Amino acid sequence: MAATRVQLLGPPRVLLGSRSVAFEADKRYQCLGYLAWKGDWVSRDELAFLFWPDVDTARSRHSLRQLVRRVRGLPWAPALEPERDRLRWRTRTDVGDLVRYLEERDYQSLLTAYRGDLLEGMASGDGGEFTSWLEQEREHLRTAWRRALFGHARELEAAVRLDRAVGVMEVLLARDPLDEDAVRALLRLGLRLRDRRGVMDAYGAFAERLRAELDLAPTAETQRLAEALRAAGPPAPRPRPSTAETGGTDRPSLPRALTSFVGREAELAEVTRLLARPECRLVTLTGFGGAGKTRLALRVAESLGQHYPDGVAFVDLTALERAEAVPAAIAGSLRLALEGRAEPLAELARSLGDGRLLVVLDAFEHVVVGAALVADLLEACPGLDLLVTSRVRLGLGAEWVLPLGGLSFPPDLDVGLADALVSDAVRLLVERARRMRPGFALSEADVADALRLCRLVDGSPLALEMAAVWLRALTLTEVVSEIGKDIDFLRDAEGSDRQRSLRAVFEHSWRLLGPAERRALRALSVFRGGFSREASAVVAGAPTAVLAALIDKSLVRMTPDGRYDLHPLVRRYALAKLAEAPGGTEEAECRHAEYYGRLLARLEAEAGSPSHATALRVFEKELENVRAAWRFFCRRPRHGELRRLTWLLRLLFDGTRRYREGAQLMELALDELGADEAHAPLVGTVQTNQAWLYYRMGMHRDAAALADSGLGKLAARRDRREARTGLNVLGAIAFARGDHAAAKARWSEALSLSAGSPRARAAFLNNVALAEEGLGEYREAREHLEAALDLNRRLGDRARIANNLNALAELLLELGDARAAAETFDAALETAEEFDHRQALPHVLHGLGRAHDLLGHPRRAWRYSDRAVTLFRQGDERPALGLALSDRGRAAIGIGDLEAAGASIGEGLELAVAGESAPDMLAGLAAAAELHLALARPAEAVPLLGVVASHPNARRSDRELAQRLLSELGAGAPSGSGLDPAPDLRRRALEQSRRVRRLGAAAS
């Protein structure tokens, strides 16, 4: 009997008409639960890895076959659809309903849709791969549902439907009674309600449960809200949102400070004065950890923003491990893409040009060996100023150093209250204490203790902020006494006094933590570059209340974009504590790596969906964590996991055009795997995927060598995905060189290996069509393109639909139907822009430029072509850039800008020669001939047109253009002109590159 519906949330069960069957906690039902959750085809390798991750492929496949037989033998006979390489169980599920409600923003249904955690009671006792997946997916669904309801509550509050907003918060608290964010939201709503008794009852129940289960008190902010509610008068009107809250520009922005800036007036003035001097372009703020270097640098950047017309940017270097990554980090903050073949520093300098801007490089001590990069960047960019924070100076001739010590305070303890309160250290202590304990005030009797505290921590801003947290529960005298004991106990002969005093702060903070907080803080230390709430729950087992408590104690920071991170000093301390627990580091790193492995799978699954652009942004935000997870798996190679991650990483680095970074990670895996024959198939997987990234960078020879090597190691494998990847690389390289027959052979072989994978089949149908177009097999090409487009439409893959539409438009151009091509390019452009399809966008723009050139719209042709060239440059996609430059040169001829035409065609020819692409060289020669004709030099144009008109590697559109121009000139193709050997074609292309540049410049 076929299932009509499966309930996966809460205790799982299958509904069969009027009766239901509960799932049992064994592999049969775990397998069914996973298949129902997927709702589509699942590869057998994926299922085998899920249940037997540490078993080789042959044995795990055998075990899976036995499991499937057991599943199909259940009394109610689930309607599985088995195929050779995959399985499917199509049935309606409550998880599918939940996802639909989230997409449709059906809040009324969402309120009751989440009945419990996914597959409640179905986790394996062995803590294996299935349990790891289950824990992560539970948290993902819970987080998505929670986020949606918080958003709904904010909308209800804005519409002054306060009772309904309260009801939403009550639903959230019923699911998680320790959700402190929901409690705070409820308290804020209570301030606008007339009947507040229910809100206060909810707060009381939360506080009691928090104490009983986690031995924690509500955070200071929550307690302040509760106190305000107790003392509240009539409901206050809702404040209007500020401009900053309602919108912003797309320019790079500085991180928003979450606390006020206190003191450092003299240092602020000094840095401002230095940067105003023309000869001072590099200022380094040095000092010990916790001295406030970052906060001062941000304050300077905020105050000087108006003096830098091209903006100010903040670059956090704390997560970097290699100096070579600095240019990419700067580019990321400035929203520039650096992933091409050229050196990243050169690309960055070229992108910045003469722009007038200020860049803050924070925590440079992590990459100080790369200080020379800073000098080179300053030399190449005359309008750039740099403000660096570092524990050590950079040692550069251009560097102006400003050391930061602790905040100032009176050295004599016997001073009055007024004198103490004007010092920076005491002002900071008092202000931060008021955030923890509203109404806190320093009395004359407290002055001596306040100054003793400042002396013990040597005015360290970080230590003072952490000490201020304790003033919620302790007196100043008690705080000073505790830190004083620790100072004597933790005397470190090798550390400075400042370091010893700061360690005392950490040690005392640690002793004040409860067991749940300690466990969470230790585990959170494995994150790199910040983390999400969902990640902290899965990896560190940190519920919202514990995370809130750590934020309240200044041990975890919340960033303006809603993520979390640890101060580098706190992270280092927590890592040491993690290492003290037997097996603690290994276990935490393993959970971290498995979480990000599954996150990559989820992001790849969203490619082509409405979440496509969001998925790519999440990937870029989590890049440092992804790198750490990859390194973990490389050191402990589980073949199934590494094969899966290699594929996912290649797709995501490809989608974000971060080719160089992806190739470097693949190289790390190859170094770890070495020459061990047992790893040969895995090495083949890595090599074929790395080959694709090299191909994207235009490194065709390296890419071909890697693809050949990888295919050789994969010869005996049954999994065909890696083989398809290697064949795709070899086909793409052959196509770029104009060998369309070889390209078709490679891609056709890959197509034959695509049975069971509709996405792969669609991709290779598209590729085979490209080769057929080059061979003049236009009918076959169109049939294959339309078949690929139909497949992707059925799959709902909008990103790949853009690729198909672009290829179809290119075919229409070749067939001479420029108007239909332009309409098809327009459809491709709409899809590419909608889904932030970074790969397709420049190609579509390039095609639109060509179409409008043929339609006689030179200005439109120039605009589209120029935009395409800009995007190709950002990605340094050299083969595509060369052809786009030649076509932009044609558009420049159309608008009468012959100087721009000569420069563009000349550069395009150089790139075509470097890429060894005969079709692109011939396209450049055709464009050069057009420039000669525009300059009334037909004698020089005719030989070039003759080569293009009769050369077998010329594109049809270029060949027909050359033949038409020769006919108009009354000249035939010179005898033998189309038989130029490759070296002679390269020589001619290089000669014309230099010639058209000179002619264009002379024409101006």
Side-chain angles (χ1 to χ4, degrees):
M1 178 184 295
T4 57
R5 180 176 169 81
V6 177
Q7 291 181 358
L8 299 175
L9 297 172
R13 62 185 60 250
V14 59
L15 306 178
L16 303 165
S18 60
R19 71 186 183 98
S20 69
V21 177
F23 277 28
E24 299 174 23
D26 64 30
K27 274 194 173 68
R28 296 172 303 167
Y29 285 94
Q30 289 172 343
C31 180
L32 282 173
Y34 189 79
L35 288 169
W37 168 78
K38 274 281 194 177
D40 203 348
W41 292 107
V42 181
S43 76
R44 289 180 181 264
D45 279 351
E46 182 178 338
L47 284 169
F49 178 76
L50 190 70
F51 294 109
W52 299 279
D54 299 319
V55 177
D56 65 67
T57 303
R59 286 196 298 156
S60 63
R61 279 276 197 136
H62 175 72
S63 298
L64 179 63
R65 285 193 295 272
Q66 291 182 319
L67 175 61
V68 171
R69 279 198 294 270
R70 291 171 56 212
V71 170
R72 299 182 76 182
L74 288 169
W76 51 276
L80 296 186
E81 298 175 68
E83 290 187 358
R84 177 186 172 189
D85 293 319
R86 58 185 187 163
L87 283 169
R88 179 168 66 178
W89 187 30
R90 284 195 293 187
T91 181
R92 185 181 170 192
T93 69
D94 52 357
V95 169
D97 292 341
L98 177 67
V99 171
R100 188 174 71 257
Y101 298 151
L102 288 168
E103 291 173 350
E104 296 173 355
R105 301 178 68 182
D106 182 352
Y107 298 120
Q108 197 59 40
S109 297
L110 279 174
L111 288 172
T112 57
Y114 196 89
R115 291 188 301 273
D117 286 339
L118 177 67
L119 295 174
E120 199 171 284
M122 295 293 290
S124 299
D126 58 7
E129 186 67 19
F130 177 83
T131 298
S132 175
W133 161 77
L134 185 55
E135 288 177 354
Q136 185 162 339
E137 190 56 32
R138 282 174 177 172
E139 189 61 37
H140 176 64
L141 287 172
R142 188 186 303 126
T143 299
W145 175 75
R146 178 180 180 271
R147 186 185 300 119
L149 290 191
F150 265 106
H152 181 44
R154 286 192 292 270
E155 292 174 359
L156 290 171
E157 184 182 2
V160 200
R161 303 171 76 175
L162 304 182
D163 288 336
R164 290 190 61 183
V166 166
V168 173
M169 289 302 108
E170 288 173 343
V171 169
L172 286 168
L173 281 171
R175 180 55 51 199
D176 180 4
L178 295 180
D179 189 340
E180 191 156 1
D181 292 335
V183 171
R184 281 199 292 269
L186 198 57
L187 290 170
R188 281 190 287 266
L189 286 166
L191 289 169
R192 301 181 62 188
L193 294 170
R194 297 194 180 279
D195 185 356
R196 294 160 175 153
R197 287 170 298 180
V199 173
M200 288 308 300
D201 289 345
Y203 169 74
F206 163 76
E208 176 58 30
R209 189 160 189 164
L210 188 65
R211 184 199 61 75
E213 293 189 16
L214 296 173
D215 195 24
L216 294 174
T219 63
E221 181 186 355
T222 306
Q223 292 187 51
R224 281 199 300 272
L225 285 168
E227 289 300 321
L229 194 60
R230 289 190 185 99
R238 182 173 182 266
R240 293 170 62 90
S242 67
T243 303
E245 293 169 338
T246 57
T249 67
D250 194 41
R251 293 182 60 176
S253 58
L254 296 170
R256 186 177 63 185
L258 301 179
T259 57
S260 58
F261 183 78
V262 177
R264 299 288 194 201
E265 285 84 3
E267 292 91 341
L268 179 62
E270 178 63 8
V271 178
T272 303
R273 184 185 66 79
L274 286 173
L275 288 173
R277 300 175 62 168
E279 69 272 23
C280 177
R281 297 177 52 215
L282 168 62
V283 175
T284 302
L285 304 177
T286 62
F288 60 91
K293 302 183 292 295
T294 301
R295 193 66 182 85
L296 175 59
L298 274 173
R299 182 66 170 182
V300 171
E302 291 165 359
S303 64
L304 293 181
Q306 60 184 345
H307 299 290
Y308 292 89
D310 293 307
V312 294
F314 180 86
V315 186
D316 185 356
L317 305 178
T318 53
L320 300 189
E321 297 183 357
R322 299 177 300 102
E324 293 80 6
V326 171
I330 297 173
S333 293
L334 294 170
R335 298 175 185 165
L336 302 172
L338 298 181
E339 64 288 319
R341 181 177 181 180
E343 286 299 316
L345 185 66
E347 292 181 57
L348 176 63
R350 184 179 63 204
S351 298
L352 296 180
D354 297 332
R356 184 79 179 116
L357 70 162
L358 173 67
V359 174
V360 177
L361 300 178
D362 188 48
F364 206 93
E365 68 270 9
H366 295 278
V367 289
V368 75
V369 294
L373 292 169
V374 171
D376 292 342
L377 190 60
L378 287 171
E379 183 176 353
C381 304
L384 173 67
D385 287 349
L386 294 176
L387 178 56
V388 176
T389 74
S390 175
R391 295 189 194 181
V392 296
R393 59 178 297 170
L394 276 59
L396 299 175
E399 183 183 30
W400 296 65
V401 180
L402 181 63
L404 290 187
L407 294 175
S408 62
F409 55 91
D412 187 357
L413 298 181
D414 190 20
V415 299
L417 178 62
D419 291 332
L421 288 175
V422 297
S423 71
D424 290 347
V426 176
R427 284 168 56 205
L428 179 68
L429 176 67
V430 171
E431 182 161 326
R432 297 299 187 260
R434 284 174 179 161
R435 294 181 72 241
M436 298 295 107
R437 200 171 91 196
F440 175 86
L442 204 65
S443 67
E444 287 284 357
D446 293 326
V447 170
D449 281 329
L451 295 178
R452 286 191 186 96
L453 174 59
C454 295
R455 180 183 292 177
L456 284 170
V457 299
D458 203 16
S460 162
L462 175 63
L464 288 168
E465 291 195 0
M466 295 177 72
V469 173
W470 308 339
L471 293 174
R472 192 177 76 195
L474 302 176
T475 66
L476 257 175
T477 303
E478 290 170 329
V479 170
V480 171
S481 173
E482 290 295 330
I483 294 181
K485 293 176 194 174
D486 284 344
I487 287 288
D488 294 333
F489 179 71
L490 291 168
R491 189 159 298 279
D492 183 349
E494 296 182 1
S496 68
D497 289 340
R498 295 186 181 111
Q499 289 168 328
R500 289 201 296 272
S501 63
L502 196 56
R503 185 182 297 188
V505 174
F506 289 146
E507 287 292 343
H508 190 70
S509 292
W510 181 259
R511 287 201 303 275
L512 291 179
L513 297 179
E517 294 169 297
R518 290 185 182 184
R519 284 195 301 271
L521 185 61
R522 279 195 297 255
L524 290 173
S525 67
V526 300
F527 286 105
R528 303 290 190 276
F531 52 91
S532 65
R533 178 189 173 278
E534 177 187 322
S536 71
V538 175
V539 175
T544 306
V546 171
L547 201 58
L550 292 172
I551 293 171
D552 201 40
K553 294 177 172 63
S554 298
L555 293 170
V556 172
R557 305 182 296 196
M558 188 171 185
T559 60
D561 61 356
R563 285 167 62 79
Y564 305 89
D565 70 1
L566 273 63
H567 187 283
L569 292 174
V570 175
R571 180 176 173 273
R572 188 176 305 152
Y573 179 84
L575 270 174
K577 288 294 184 184
L578 181 65
E580 291 174 4
T585 302
E586 177 77 12
E587 180 183 348
E589 287 183 348
C590 185
R591 290 180 66 85
H592 175 272
E594 289 176 344
Y595 174 83
Y596 284 100
R598 296 208 171 279
L599 177 68
L600 291 179
R602 192 162 69 232
L603 296 181
E604 193 276 327
E606 292 173 0
S609 75
S611 304
H612 176 82
T614 301
L616 294 183
R617 285 195 292 271
V618 170
F619 171 68
E620 292 182 305
K621 193 171 288 186
E622 297 287 8
L623 205 47
E624 292 306 320
N625 282 310
V626 168
R627 288 193 180 103
W630 177 256
R631 285 192 292 270
F632 177 87
F633 285 123
C634 288
R635 292 194 302 270
R636 302 158 181 79
R638 293 191 299 185
H639 286 206
E641 186 73 0
L642 264 180
R643 280 179 55 220
R644 186 172 68 97
L645 284 181
T646 300
W647 170 259
L648 295 172
L649 275 177
R650 193 264 291 171
L651 290 174
L652 290 164
F653 276 115
D654 195 28
T656 53
R657 302 170 77 204
R658 292 175 172 268
Y659 313 125
R660 182 182 296 274
E661 293 172 69
Q664 288 171 343
L665 278 192
M666 304 287 178
E667 193 63 37
L668 174 66
L670 294 176
D671 289 344
E672 290 285 349
L673 295 171
D676 188 339
E677 191 61 30
H679 296 322
L682 182 54
V683 169
T685 295
V686 176
Q687 286 181 326
T688 53
N689 283 278
Q690 187 184 36
W692 178 258
L693 297 171
Y694 276 138
Y695 161 73
R696 283 294 201 185
M697 290 187 281
M699 300 169 65
H700 291 175
R701 294 190 182 187
D702 291 335
L706 275 168
D708 280 327
S709 175
L711 284 169
K713 293 179 175 63
L714 295 168
R717 291 190 60 81
R718 288 186 299 170
D719 190 337
R720 296 167 291 180
R721 186 173 64 187
E722 288 85 353
R724 292 197 302 260
T725 303
L727 290 167
N728 191 27
V729 173
L730 296 174
I733 293 170
F735 184 81
R737 292 173 176 169
D739 190 348
H740 299 124
K744 182 178 179 180
R746 294 291 192 175
W747 283 335
S748 295
E749 186 181 350
L751 179 61
S752 71
L753 296 176
S754 300
S757 175
R759 285 180 185 271
R761 180 168 176 76
F764 287 110
L765 282 169
N766 187 89
N767 289 1
V768 169
L770 296 178
E772 289 169 336
E773 180 185 330
L775 292 167
E777 299 168 357
Y778 301 117
R779 181 179 59 80
E780 295 88 343
R782 185 156 194 161
E783 288 175 356
H784 283 137
L785 281 176
E786 288 173 349
L789 187 57
D790 180 62
L791 260 177
N792 281 324
R793 281 174 172 156
R794 280 189 278 144
L795 289 167
D797 194 331
R798 299 292 302 279
R800 288 181 173 87
I801 288 171
N803 291 338
N804 298 147
L805 289 171
N806 183 63
L808 186 57
E810 290 283 357
L811 176 60
L812 291 169
L813 269 188
E814 282 295 291
L815 294 173
D817 193 345
R819 190 167 302 282
E823 292 173 358
T824 309
F825 277 128
D826 280 332
L829 180 63
E830 182 181 353
T831 304
E833 289 183 327
E834 179 186 358
F835 288 94
D836 190 24
H837 193 349
R838 303 180 202 179
Q839 292 172 340
L841 188 57
H843 293 276
V844 176
L845 291 167
H846 177 205
L848 271 168
R850 292 176 60 206
H852 283 287
D853 184 50
L854 291 171
L855 289 170
H857 305 148
R859 295 204 175 276
R860 288 187 198 173
W862 168 264
R863 286 198 299 271
Y864 285 125
S865 298
D866 188 55
R867 189 176 165 199
V869 165
T870 299
L871 292 177
F872 281 134
R873 282 199 198 282
Q874 288 177 1
D876 203 12
E877 296 179 51
R878 290 180 168 244
L881 176 60
L883 184 58
L885 282 163
S886 294
D887 287 328
R888 187 180 71 169
R890 286 173 163 161
I893 295 171
I895 63 174
D897 190 345
L898 300 187
E899 181 180 11
S904 196
I905 295 169
E907 186 183 356
L909 279 165
E910 286 180 0
L911 289 172
V913 171
E916 301 179 2
S917 174
D920 291 356
M921 284 186 261
L922 291 161
L925 291 177
E930 289 189 80
L931 180 59
H932 286 303
L933 291 175
L935 292 167
R937 305 171 69 92
E940 296 202 35
V942 167
L944 301 180
L945 293 171
V947 171
V948 178
S950 54
H951 201 289
N953 287 128
R955 294 181 178 89
R956 175 177 171 176
S957 54
D958 293 323
R959 189 163 51 247
E960 290 180 349
L961 171 68
Q963 290 168 349
R964 177 176 59 80
L965 291 176
L966 284 170
S967 177
E968 291 173 0
L969 292 168
S975 177
S977 59
L979 303 176
D980 287 14
D984 191 49
L985 184 60
R986 288 197 295 272
R987 177 188 57 76
R988 195 184 290 259
L990 286 173
E991 286 176 354
Q992 285 301 314
S993 170
R994 293 187 289 269
R995 188 152 184 75
V996 294
R997 286 178 188 271
R998 291 197 301 269
L999 289 171
S1004 66

